[in-house]
Amino acid sequence: MSLPVHARRRYHVRLCGPVPAELSALAARARAGAAEVFAPERLWAAAARTGLLAERAVVEDTVRRLRGQAEVEAHLRERDTGALTLLEHATAALGAGGARRYRDACHEAAARHGTIAYTTPVLYATFRRAGDGDADGAGAGVGGRPVH
């Protein structure tokens, strides 16, 4: 399976408009809230509760480029399973005015640079049931340990 680690996403653009405190509030919300749905630790805990062990797990960075206003707007409104859109996060963290400033800043950055790039770590993992293929039934997990 694969899992995007949205709480660790990095944008490669400087936004003008929102003040640093607003950007910090938005980032803190992502780390503490809905983006945490996509944290590897939650995957390990869910797997352990169902008796699965990770045989292999690796995190690879994926880079996406947003070219132009239409792609930026689509990105701001994109909804991943179990998560709010970026604009919904911005509204919850900053109110309607702050979310508008954030949206406008993203569009202004796209107009100024032409492309906005961002990196999202993606966790790729292979799981198996504990005991499958183990003489003692204990399972090895990643690095010889069960994943918790």
Side-chain angles (χ1 to χ4, degrees), residues 15-23 94 98-106:
L15 296 180
C16 299
V19 297
E22 289 177 316
L23 294 174
L94 310 174
R100 195 169 28 261
R101 283 190 302 281
Y102 177 71
R103 179 183 176 272
D104 291 347
C106 290

Side-chain angles (χ1 to χ4, degrees), residues 118-136:
Y118 64 92
T119 301
T120 304
V122 177
L123 170 70
Y124 296 94
T126 303
F127 292 91
R128 65 180 168 81
R129 285 189 201 108
D132 285 356
D134 295 328
D136 63 2

